[in-house]
């Protein structure tokens, strides 16, 4: 490919045709091979990737979610209704909220939602023009046939390599930021709980509700000392097994008061504890809960 960047007039594709070699037996196969090599070079070039990333920052790149057509029939109707806000959802990746990303991810993991990043066609068009006319244009004259090959290579590189790369990068950044914010939010909620005036003579179990990431537990002494922290998964089919862990902690720390936070899955968590208390599962403790 030194001919391409140096003197494309000397580049004769017919000279590479070898009828007895697979992949080089026809001029079409040679062109296809050159196109794939150029596409790979373009997709790995730092200046090219920097240009397309900067271009995306100026355009309306959005995350979209919709009801999955393939697997939604197998999903529980109750689970599907939980994601009704995201069954026809679209938002600029600069404006989407962290809790929306986490909700979309849960729906995607349950095979209820289909999620994609949408980059407008204008980005592709401007990127291809820049590559052909500036970044990858041969220094010397190239005949129309070779320029057409360059255009095909740039379009192939964008569609097959660069576009998927950008989508993965955007999703990874959105997920990482949302998960960090989730941890920080838990920290803020826990700090607020710890700063509450303790109930005289009582040990409290604080519960921060959640779905796929579990419910975070913190056992706190009457003097606001953290005695134990843990995570239980009450809403993913493991509620029966996790109940024994909760009972063991309550008995171990002689804790008869459960405080449930107000957030995602708070109603389901409240119903879970109410059912166990009604069945006197925590006996001999007379457990009550606040929400």
């Amino acid at each position: 490919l030194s001919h391409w960047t140096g003197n494309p007039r000397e580049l004769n594709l017919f000279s590479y045709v070898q009828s007895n070699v697979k992949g080089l037996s026809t001029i079409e196969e040679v062109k296809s091979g050159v196109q794939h090599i150029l596409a790979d070079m373009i997709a790995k070039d730092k200046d090219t990737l920097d240009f397309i990333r900067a271009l995306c920052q100026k355009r309306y790149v959005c995350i979209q979610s919709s009801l999955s057509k393939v697997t939604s029939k197998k999903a529980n109707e109750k689970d599907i209704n939980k994601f009704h806000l995201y069954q026809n959802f679209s938002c600029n990746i600069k404006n989407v909220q962290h809790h929306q990303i986490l909700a979309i991810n849960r729906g995607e993991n349950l095979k209820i939602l289909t999620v994609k990043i949408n980059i407008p066609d204008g980005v592709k068009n401007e990127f291809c023009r820049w590559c052909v006319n500036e970044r990858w244009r041969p220094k010397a004259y190239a005949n129309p046939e070779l320029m057409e090959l360059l255009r095909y290579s740039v379009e192939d590189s964008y569609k097959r390599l660069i576009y998927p790369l950008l989508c993965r990068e955007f999703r990874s950044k959105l997920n990482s930021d949302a998960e960090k914010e989730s941890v920080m939010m838990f920290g803020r909620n826990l700090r607020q709980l710890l700063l509450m005036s303790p109930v005289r003579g009582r040990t409290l179990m604080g519960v921060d509700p959640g779905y796929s990431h579990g419910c975070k537990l913190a056992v706190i002494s009457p003097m606001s000392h953290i005695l134990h922290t843990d995570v239980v998964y009450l809403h993913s089919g493991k509620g029966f097994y996790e109940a024994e862990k909760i009972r063991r902690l309550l008995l171990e720390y002689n804790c008869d008061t459960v405080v449930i936070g107000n957030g995602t899955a708070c109603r389901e968590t409240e119903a879970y504890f109410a059912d166990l208390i009604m069945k006197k599962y925590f006996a001999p403790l007379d457990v009550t809960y606040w929400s």
Side-chain angles (χ1 to χ4, degrees), residues 55-117:
L55 193 57
C56 287
Q57 290 295 321
K58 303 174 185 176
R59 300 300 182 91
Y60 185 88
V61 179
C62 63
I63 182 170
Q64 298 176 332
S65 64
S66 58
L67 190 63
S68 175
K69 297 178 181 178
V70 178
T71 56
S72 59
K73 297 178 181 178
K74 302 178 183 179
N76 186 293
E77 189 68 28
K78 184 179 178 182
D79 290 336
I80 294 176
N81 290 335
K82 290 179 182 176
F83 300 97
H84 70 277
L85 293 175
Y86 303 101
Q87 292 178 12
N88 189 23
F89 178 83
S90 179
C91 184
N92 190 325
I93 60 173
K94 296 179 182 178
N95 301 328
V96 66
Q97 301 297 308
H98 297 304
H99 71 271
Q100 293 174 323
I101 293 297
L102 295 176
I104 287 172
N105 288 346
R106 287 196 297 272
E108 186 179 35
N109 291 335
L110 292 171
K111 310 297 184 184
I112 293 173
L113 298 177
T114 298
V115 185
K116 68 176 183 177
I117 297 291

Side-chain angles (χ1 to χ4, degrees), residues 126-167:
E126 186 172 342
F127 171 74
C128 291
R129 282 196 300 270
W130 177 80
C131 285
V132 172
N133 297 328
E134 297 183 40
R135 176 60 184 161
W136 294 94
R137 187 178 184 86
K139 296 177 181 178
Y141 171 81
N143 63 49
E145 183 183 10
L146 294 181
M147 290 303 296
E148 183 180 25
L149 180 60
L150 174 60
R151 280 190 289 271
Y152 285 147
S153 300
V154 170
E155 291 177 2
D156 176 49
S157 181
Y158 180 83
K159 180 180 179 181
R160 185 167 54 86
L161 301 172
I162 296 176
Y163 187 95
L165 172 67
L166 293 173
C167 291

Side-chain angles (χ1 to χ4, degrees), residues 16 18 20-33:
Y16 294 95
Q18 301 180 43
N20 59 340
V21 178
K22 185 178 180 181
L24 299 175
S25 58
T26 64
I27 186 62
E28 287 74 20
E29 290 182 347
V30 171
K31 286 183 178 179
S32 177

